[in-house]
Amino acid sequence: MPLTIDTDREYDLEDLQYDIEDSRETDRWCDAPPDVKSLFHEIEWNIIDGEHTITTDFINKALSFKVTARTLVAGPMAAGIAEVGRRFKMDEYFLPEVMMSAKCMHEALDLIRPLIQAEKCEEVGTVIVGTVQGDLHDIGKKIVAMMLEAAGFTVHDLGVTVPPERFIEAIREYKPQIVGFSALLTTTMNMQWETVKAIDAEGLRQNVKIFVGGAPISQAWCDKIGADAYAMDALVAVEKAKACVTGLSNMKGGDPALHEAMLEIDRLREEVKASATAVG
Ligand code: B12
């Protein structure tokens, strides 16, 4: 039986700001057996410290406890890289440290990818993803791609710094139902808009449902540039993508009713979250 641990809760990551060597009490992963909980903390710490070999060792150990690949990505790996982001923002970390932590994430993702693919359900559709032109960030996009694959999509990842014309070429070649743009920089988010405009100018806008994501991206930005869906994380992306190829499959890209249906998914999520908090 796979061991699933709650990764949906919002945790306080304050303890990660201090160099704690010993195992410690936190509110995270409390539903995990003690051995796994401490392994999760080791994974968080080694990503923060940029220790890629040790990180992959601990990932392997966690897998031997039958922790699912999805739990590792959404749990300790997400917590570790979030703290790296905070340190970078506060000038506590500079590029070399961030690059070492990014290497940990990439190596761990490479290790996990075959397992995610093995979890793949029945084929449900085709998606193209890419990080827009000028932007080299790809950890989040890779996670989204992997989660979509696990949910049954065939995913064509175009890589980083993808120009609009490459997206257009790939739409013609792979005929996807969905195309996703990732952008992590405020200076490159505008390329999402340029890419939407270029797809429109080629007469392809109705053929694809456009998803946008990345740290500076919001629902307001998605509305402004005329994309169909915004997802703040991979789980929301999967939920919306599945809706696009099932109940909403007849709707065209750019249809205001599709956009509204995507917002309804967020509203329902919020309601479920609010009622879970009220019960808890
Ligand atoms: C790792 C990192 C790097 C690594 C990237 C390695 C790699 N291969 O990806 C390196 C060191 C190379 C790097 C470089 C730079 N970085 Co940087 N980087 C980060 C950092 C710390 C983490 C990003 C990350 O991987 N997060 C973890 C993933 C899991 O989260 P995520 O990407 O948000 O993805 C999730 C969601 O957003 C969503 N999602 C993401 N994409 C998509 C796509 C779709 C379609 C959907 C639906 C959803 C979705 O789902 C994902 C999974 O849940 C962020 C800090 C931060 N808070 O984001 C800064 C950050 C993004 N970087 C920043 C900067 C400034 C830079 C540099 C310009 C620094 C420099 N002076 O050179 C360069 C830019 C290089 C370039 N041209 O792109 C700034 C951007 C600030 C701004 N206002 O634009 C940030 C915010 C740090 C900061 N606070 O200052 N960086």
Side-chain angles (χ1 to χ4, degrees), residues 78 81-82 84-86 88-90 95-96 98-103 105-106 128-131 134-144 160 179-188 192 211-216 229-237:
I81 196 75
V84 173
R86 190 203 63 79
F88 191 32
K89 189 173 176 183
M90 303 310 287
L95 272 186
V98 180
M99 285 170 82
M100 294 302 289
S101 298
K103 188 171 162 72
M105 290 294 283
H106 280 300
I128 289 174
V129 292
T131 305
D135 200 322
L136 293 170
H137 296 86
D138 67 350
I139 296 171
K141 179 210 63 186
K142 277 192 175 177
I143 293 175
V144 171
V160 294
V179 53
F181 310 145
S182 186
L184 266 284
L185 298 170
T186 42
T187 48
T188 57
Q192 292 190 337
F211 279 39
V212 287
Y230 158 70
M232 64 176 297
D233 62 32
L235 298 178
V236 178

